[in-house]
Amino acid sequence: MAQSNGPSTIPIVDFSAFPNGGKEEQEQVARQIDNAFRQVGFVYLKNHAIPREKVDECFSWSKKFFALPMETKMLAPHPPSGAHHRGYSAPGVEKVTQHQYEKDDIAKSRQVPDYKESYESGNVNDDSQPNIWPPEEELPGFRTFMESYFTECAALIHRILDALSITLALPEPGLSPTHSKSLFQLRLLHYPAIDAAELKNNKRSRINAHSDFGTMTLLFQDDVGGLEVEDSNHPGKFSRAGPIDDAVLVNIGDLMMRWSNDRWRSTVHRVGLPSPKALSIPGSGVNTEGQRNSGKLVELEDAEGAVVPDRYSIPFFATADMDTVIEALPGTWGEDRPKKYEPVTAWGYVQMRMAATYEE
Ligand code: CA
């Protein structure tokens, strides 16, 4: 059920009915997810069946990878071409590139560089974008783990597609076959520690405001926080979407918004200054505990030398098979709600978005 202990606007849903619950139970859960995607475009799922130990292990691999010397990380370089999204991107290198799965606000990106590094991998069967792994001896076990984490995340995407199919009363097997190739992307992200003042004054950003490009995104985040989601009824107003224990955050992307005839929202989000309790002033003895005790917590973000700690997050981007025809799904249109968009294949949609980007 929806609770109010997290960010006020994003519902928390217990997903344990998938895949093994009864029909009624599944319908109830599916309805909650449907509501969340209609209202906010985001939902927190608890009991999503990816074991906590696996999520924790993914974060520790991510930390180990980013802690490698730069020249080692550069043994698995992200290709300069804009069409092959695999491998390592150093901080500041990946600026205004158009991702297959994320649409940056280009104008803003040019003004304020994102300060982050990333490592991307995908489906082992994706011949169009082969994976680019660091040499096994540099980080033994990394590749094996990432491949198995990919499989877990892909399975969760398919279970959420099952839930969405139920809400629209689609005939079996529903939406899952439209993602049969699971051409998804697992991205490890590291935001290095940064002066709070730089983030606050928009000199640098962690990730500028953007919406996701594909059908859905899973997001695992550490305790630092900083993710903010725009209130679609009040553009420009953002509220926090921080981490919730054992929950994965799921959001709708632009392609799914179009496919659902705008029933489900693809909501703009960004990563900026986290809540003041994450900040500290290194070497000064001033930390969040001291500040909390003296009642000065909120002032910390304005204090000279205040530092936002490193943040790690793990998004998993899903999209439909490229030959899927994206046309208003049954149950999302009718006499009182005409189809808003022309049919387009998932491939055609990507081309359209890329072209639009290059014109800017
Ligand atoms: Ca995103």
Side-chain angles (χ1 to χ4, degrees), residues 101-102 187 207 210-212 217 227 251 269 315 317:
Y101 301 104
E102 278 185 300
R187 184 181 300 166
I207 290 189
H210 68 277
S211 59
D212 291 356
T217 307
L227 180 69
N251 67 282
H269 50 284
F317 300 97

Side-chain angles (χ1 to χ4, degrees), residues 219-237:
L219 181 71
F220 304 90
Q221 43 182 341
D222 68 8
D223 293 336
V224 174
L227 180 69
E228 297 176 329
V229 173
E230 190 174 44
D231 180 343
S232 25
N233 299 315
H234 301 92
K237 186 172 172 269

Side-chain angles (χ1 to χ4, degrees), residues 160-174:
I160 301 169
L161 289 170
D162 289 344
L164 294 180
S165 305
I166 289 174
T167 69
L168 299 180
L170 300 179
E172 293 271 350

Side-chain angles (χ1 to χ4, degrees), residues 279-294 296-297 300 303-307:
L279 309 183
S280 67
I281 302 179
S284 67
V286 177
N287 56 31
T288 54
E289 274 318 305
Q291 292 287 305
R292 193 177 291 122
N293 294 339
S294 62
K296 287 181 182 160
L297 188 57
L300 190 58
E304 197 167 335
V307 166

Side-chain angles (χ1 to χ4, degrees), residues 78-265:
H78 188 297
S81 133
H84 189 174
H85 296 289
R86 297 290 182 263
Y88 173 70
S89 305
V93 171
E94 182 195 3
K95 291 183 291 281
V96 291
T97 50
Q98 168 64 54
H99 282 292
Q100 188 181 350
Y101 301 104
E102 278 185 300
K103 169 84 169 78
D104 272 322
D105 183 327
I106 300 297
K108 270 190 215 155
S109 305
R110 287 203 177 116
Q111 289 159 11
V112 185
D114 288 350
Y115 190 47
K116 64 179 187 333
E117 55 183 341
S118 62
Y119 177 83
E120 295 163 354
S121 61
N123 193 312
V124 293
N125 298 316
D126 188 348
D127 297 331
S128 67
Q129 296 187 71
N131 284 323
I132 299 171
W133 301 105
E136 183 65 18
E137 65 274 17
E138 300 290 351
L139 199 54
F142 177 74
R143 174 180 180 163
T144 305
F145 180 84
M146 288 304 150
E147 288 178 354
S148 84
Y149 201 71
F150 183 98
T151 305
E152 297 260 7
C153 291
L156 176 54
I157 290 286
H158 283 273
R159 289 194 294 274
I160 301 169
L161 289 170
D162 289 344
L164 294 180
S165 305
I166 289 174
T167 69
L168 299 180
L170 300 179
E172 293 271 350
L175 286 168
S176 184
T178 63
H179 290 60
S180 66
K181 298 194 175 79
S182 297
L183 300 181
F184 308 153
Q185 187 199 79
L186 172 61
R187 184 181 300 166
L188 307 178
L189 276 170
H190 171 219
Y191 306 86
I194 186 173
D195 286 349
E198 285 200 66
L199 275 187
K200 187 163 177 145
N201 302 326
N202 286 322
K203 284 194 184 137
R204 284 202 279 199
S205 142
R206 284 195 149 170
I207 290 189
N208 282 292
H210 68 277
S211 59
D212 291 356
F213 205 81
T215 50
M216 273 191 291
T217 307
L218 310 177
L219 181 71
F220 304 90
Q221 43 182 341
D222 68 8
D223 293 336
V224 174
L227 180 69
E228 297 176 329
V229 173
E230 190 174 44
D231 180 343
S232 25
N233 299 315
H234 301 92
K237 186 172 172 269
F238 284 79
S239 47
R240 291 191 192 288
I244 291 183
D245 256 356
D246 291 332
V248 62
L249 190 57
V250 186
N251 67 282
I252 289 291
D254 296 346
L255 187 64
M256 186 62 97
M257 182 168 173
R258 179 182 175 118
W259 205 359
S260 71
N261 207 28
D262 291 355
R263 176 190 183 96
W264 298 318
R265 293 170 189 263

